[in-house]
């Protein structure tokens, strides 16, 4: 291997800003906040839909399953050690000051602090697709990663048939790095896994 091949634009570094406790994040139209027990009904509204669960690692939830799912995810509110995660409710504030609506969830996992590597994920109610909310929320999550947590690499893994999520990755500037053919049995059938990622240099350049 030549010397040129080993040169990188960014010096190796670990994640910074750790430990990180989940706090509210705002965008032009949205509020991202830690989940709470009052989010059950909004969450169940889309977790019970077949179209939503199609490419996720859980089946359609009944009400009790949504409640247990929420309980576990509320506890995910801090990044300190490898494997920790945070799940944010994506809230669409009512401009009239009334009750707000949770339209989806975005998640962030610390995969390897020493290498500043994070994984992100998302799920949104089909009723709000096509309005740019997913782009807005996940862009804010990337800003948190690179501006506050010192991320070097943020990636997403998705079922290769999930065209909507693949398009979102492209909008975010994430590049498809791999297609793992029949990498796992997913809901009773072999599934290909697509891996998308964005590096710190990519993010800064965009």
């Amino acid at each position: 291997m030549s010397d040129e091949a080993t040169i990188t634009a960014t010096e190796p570094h670990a994640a910074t800003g750790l430990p990180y406790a989940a706090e509210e994040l705002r965008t032009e139209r949205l509020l991202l906040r830690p989940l709470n027990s009052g989010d059950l009904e909004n969450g169940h509204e889309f977790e019970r839909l077949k179209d939503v669960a199609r490419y996720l690692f859980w089946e359609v939830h009944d009400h009790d399953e949504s409640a247990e799912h929420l309980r576990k995810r509320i506890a995910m509110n801090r990044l300190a050690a490898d494997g920790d995660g945070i799940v944010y409710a994506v809230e669409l504030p009512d401009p009239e000051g009334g009750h707000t609506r949770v339209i989806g969830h975005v998640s962030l996992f610390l995969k390897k602090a020493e290498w500043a590597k994070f994984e992100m994920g998302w799920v949104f109610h089909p009723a709000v697709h096509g309005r740019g909310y997913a782009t807005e929320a996940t862009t804010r999550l990337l800003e948190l990663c690179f501006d506050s947590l010192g991320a070097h690499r943020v990636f997403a893994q998705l079922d290769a048939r999930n065209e909507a999520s693949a398009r979102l990755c492209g909008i975010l500037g994430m590049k498809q790095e791999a297609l793992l053919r029949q990498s796992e049995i997913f809901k009773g059938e072999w599934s290909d896994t697509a891996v998308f990622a964005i590096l710190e240099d990519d993010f800064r350049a965009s």
Side-chain angles (χ1 to χ4, degrees), residues 106-174:
V106 293
S107 55
L108 183 64
F109 298 90
L110 177 60
K111 303 303 288 187
K112 187 77 172 180
E114 183 182 2
W115 298 344
K117 184 166 68 172
F118 295 82
E119 181 178 6
M120 63 189 296
W122 50 83
V123 57
F124 285 85
H125 196 301
V128 301
H129 286 181
R131 304 182 190 180
Y133 294 136
T135 300
E136 196 168 321
T138 50
T139 296
R140 183 66 185 90
L141 207 59
L142 287 177
E143 291 172 352
L144 170 68
C145 289
F146 291 111
D147 293 339
S148 299
L149 301 178
H152 171 64
R153 169 184 168 84
V154 181
F155 71 97
Q157 299 186 84
L158 47 127
D159 189 300
R161 296 166 295 184
N162 190 343
E163 296 179 357
S165 285
R167 283 195 300 272
L168 176 58
C169 287
I171 292 170
L172 295 173
M174 305 179 85

Side-chain angles (χ1 to χ4, degrees), residues 180-201:
L180 309 178
R181 298 184 302 154
Q182 298 186 9
S183 58
E184 57 188 77
I185 297 176
F186 180 72
K187 298 186 176 179
E189 59 185 350
W190 286 113
S191 172
D192 297 346
T193 300
V195 180
F196 291 80
I198 183 170
L199 302 180
E200 180 181 1
D201 291 336

